[in-house]
Amino acid sequence: MAIGDGGWTGIPVTLDDPANCGDTLDLMFWTFAAKRPNGHVGVRWGKQRVTHASTRRGVVIDRLSGVLMKALTKSIHLTIGE
C-alpha cells in the first residue's frame, strides 16, 4: 500500500506537521522495525485521531501523538476514484 501496489494510488502528504495537514481518511504508515519499513498502517480521521490495529488492544482509535508521531514515516491521501 505504501508504494502503490495493488492499485493503491494517492498523493503524499507532507510529514512536517501531520496533525494539521492532509484530509480525513488519509493512510498513515509507521516503521516500528527496520526490517519492515512502513509495516504498520492506520487511517486518520479528524485532525489528530488515527484508527489502527494494536497487537495488545485490537482495533483502536488513538491520538496522533507520542510514539505514533515519532514512528510515523509516511502519509498518503488516497486518490482512488477521484
Side-chain angles (χ1 to χ4, degrees), residues 20 23 27 48 50 56 67 76:
N20 294 315
D23 293 324
L27 293 181
Q48 297 193 15
V50 64
R56 292 185 321 233
V67 71
I76 298 175

Side-chain angles (χ1 to χ4, degrees), residues 27-82:
L27 293 181
M28 311 296 281
F29 296 89
W30 295 270
T31 298
F32 293 117
K35 64 182 180 179
R36 293 187 61 214
N38 300 314
H40 187 75
V41 64
V43 178
R44 184 175 63 174
W45 57 276
K47 292 285 185 184
Q48 297 193 15
R49 299 254 186 244
V50 64
T51 301
H52 64 105
S54 165
T55 55
R56 292 185 321 233
R57 301 179 295 149
V59 176
V60 296
I61 299 170
D62 284 325
R63 282 188 73 67
L64 189 53
S65 62
V67 71
L68 290 179
M69 281 295 287
K70 290 177 184 173
L72 185 64
T73 53
K74 192 173 201 175
S75 180
I76 298 175
H77 174 70
L78 291 180
T79 57
I80 297 172
E82 290 185 7

Side-chain angles (χ1 to χ4, degrees), residues 10-25:
I11 301 167
V13 177
T14 181
L15 295 179
D16 293 345
D17 188 4
N20 294 315
C21 68
D23 293 324
T24 296
L25 303 180

